């Protein structure tokens, strides 16, 4: 079991779940995967299907249209699957806190394992956040 | 532990032995060896291996072989390995009749399952590292493929409620075992060419086709619309690359006028690739295999960005791991197959040849954008297939 956990931490496959962000966070997530930052050296890979994912990167504020779908999405994932909130929006809704179209926080819907604040967080901050998540899981 | 180690070496060595039925004796006792030889002598024509408790002096070997010569009328020794037995009760013990266990060992450990898996991990590392260096980045660590696989072993296996469960679960397992079977066959021919049988090139080509068909079945059983899209693309791709591939492999067959891999490897006076038809066929084979493995210009059926994994979209856990591993194994044996059919031989040079062919695959994969499925079909039917036809005509006319 030790070896499975060790391998899990060395090959985190990431899926990106945008909960109506302003698109800035998404672009920074993609930046983190470009050759300059090269997340593949930690074994991190972007996958397209939730069935393959080990980490769900959530960005943005849930709104009335999609807030039920996040939970639904996480239920489809093969466990263990961790949730990381990217950006101030998903950490605590930031300036959209009292907005008319925002029912709740991301962490009211699902259990979030790591928060990466910043508006948007730099790719370095995203990598640091993922490394912190790995260290916390050890 | 030591015993197991030596027995493993012994099994590997028996791969190269002429006769298959061999007896093992573990004892320091001369008498025991003598009895073993006598037993073997009672069935004339069988080879004998003596496993002794100490380093055998060359003169002693001579003595033993003379003894056996007088009994059997000819030399019986091929290999002598050492196994320490401190136990007195094992004065002489005959371990195995190898012909029962050797095929199992071949399939499960040496050129088969275990070896193929580790070789595939190494090749997938080389592929990913080269890709990373071409894209000017660092790339993954050495055992990344293994980490991915072990991680997938520990994940939950989800089966969609709308899926046809039996086919959905069975298809990755069948696909994986067939890929391992092809790999075992090719590696066996590579190490021990005498196992080759007439018509095996057809068997290899046929078995290489089966995994793709099985994955299509599994994906369409998953009940997912996007998986269905992937299946439709995979099917069209298969219809376009299979024919050029088989026509390309026909060129070595025509040249050596045999459908046995061993004859193709040995009969040609000069490597097939150095003739005009052979070179054209080689190009066609490389490009068709690129599509068969599902590498980048032809990976529309598994496109991550458009259809999120295509035929693998609903798979998770160990089933996904098996599909990925089978793909890596196929990737690692295709260069071997190309070498065996187009430019065999050359001792240790094989390693260099292997890496040249592998590099070709990696370069094509990294310098081309993904083709739309219609473009792939056009490419194969309008350009590649005529080239392979020309190659065949040239081969028949002896060029
Ligand atoms: S955190 Fe900032 S950059 Fe990210 S989605 Fe919210 S507003 Fe946009």
């Amino acid at each position: 079991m030790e070896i499975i956990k060790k391998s899990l931490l060395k090959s985190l496959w990431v899926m990106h779940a945008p909960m109506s962000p302003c698109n800035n966070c998404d672009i920074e997530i993609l930046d983190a995967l470009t050759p300059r930052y090269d997340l593949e050296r930690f074994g991190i890979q972007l996958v397209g299907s939730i069935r393959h994912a080990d980490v769900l990167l959530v960005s943005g504020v849930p709104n009335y249209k999609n807030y039920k779908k996040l939970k639904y999405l996480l239920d489809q994932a093969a466990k263990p699957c961790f949730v990381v909130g990217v950006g101030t929006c998903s950490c605590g809704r930031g300036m959209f806190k009292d907005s008319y179209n925002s029912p709740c926080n991301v962490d009211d819907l699902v259990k979030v394992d790591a928060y990466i604040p910043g508006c948007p967080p730099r790719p370095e901050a995203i990598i640091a956040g993922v490394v912190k998540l790995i260290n916390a899981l050890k | 532990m030591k015993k197991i180690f030596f027995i493993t070496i012994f099994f590997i060595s028996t791969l190269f032995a002429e006769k298959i039925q061999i007896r093992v004796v573990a004892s320091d006792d001369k008498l025991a060896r003598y009895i073993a030889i006598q037993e073997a002598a009672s069935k004339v024509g069988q080879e004998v291996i003596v496993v002794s408790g100490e380093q055998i002096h060359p003169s002693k070997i001579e003595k033993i072989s003379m003894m056996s010569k007088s009994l059997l009328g000819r030399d019986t020794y091929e290999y002598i390995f050492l196994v320490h037995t401190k136990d007195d009760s094992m004065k002489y013990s005959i371990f195995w009749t190898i012909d029962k266990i050797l095929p199992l060992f071949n399939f499960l450990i040496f050129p088969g399952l275990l070896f193929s898996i580790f070789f595939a991990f190494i090749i997938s590392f080389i592929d990913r590292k080269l890709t990373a260096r071409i894209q000017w980045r660092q790339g993954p660590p050495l055992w990344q493929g293994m980490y991915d696989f072990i991680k997938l072993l520990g994940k939950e296996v989800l089966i969609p409620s709308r899926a046809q469960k039996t086919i959905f679960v069975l298809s990755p397992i069948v696909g994986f075992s067939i890929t391992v079977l092809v790999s075992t066959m090719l590696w066996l021919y590579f190490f021990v060419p005498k196992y080759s049988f007439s018509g095996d090139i057809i068997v290899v080509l046929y078995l290489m086709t089966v995994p793709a068909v099985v994955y299509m079945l599994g994906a369409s059983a998953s009940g997912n619309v996007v998986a269905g899209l992937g299946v439709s693309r995979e099917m069209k791709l298969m219809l376009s690359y299979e024919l050029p591939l088989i026509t390309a492999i026909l060129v070595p067959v025509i040249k050596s006028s045999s459908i046995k891999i061993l004859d193709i490897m040995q009969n040609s006076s000069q490597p097939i690739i150095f003739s005009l038809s052979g070179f054209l066929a080689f190009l066609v084979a490389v490009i068709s295999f690129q599509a068969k493995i599902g590498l980048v210009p032809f990976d529309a059926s598994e496109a991550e960005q458009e259809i999120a994994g295509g035929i693998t979209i609903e798979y998770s856990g160990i089933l996904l791991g098996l599909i990925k591993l089978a793909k890596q194994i196929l990737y690692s044996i295709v260069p071997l197959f190309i070498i065996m059919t187009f430019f065999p031989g050359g001792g240790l040079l094989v390693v260099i040849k292997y890496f040249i062919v592998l590099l070709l695959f990696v370069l094509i994969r990294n310098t081309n954008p993904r083709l739309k499925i219609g473009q792939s079909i056009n490419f194969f039917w309008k350009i590649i297939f005529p080239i392979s036809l020309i190659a065949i005509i040239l081969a028949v006319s002896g060029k």
Side-chain angles (χ1 to χ4, degrees), chain A residues 21-25 59-61 86-90 96 118-121:
Chain A
C22 77
N23 211 356
N24 243 341
C25 279
S59 58
V61 191
V86 179
T88 310
C89 278
S90 53
F96 302 109
C119 182

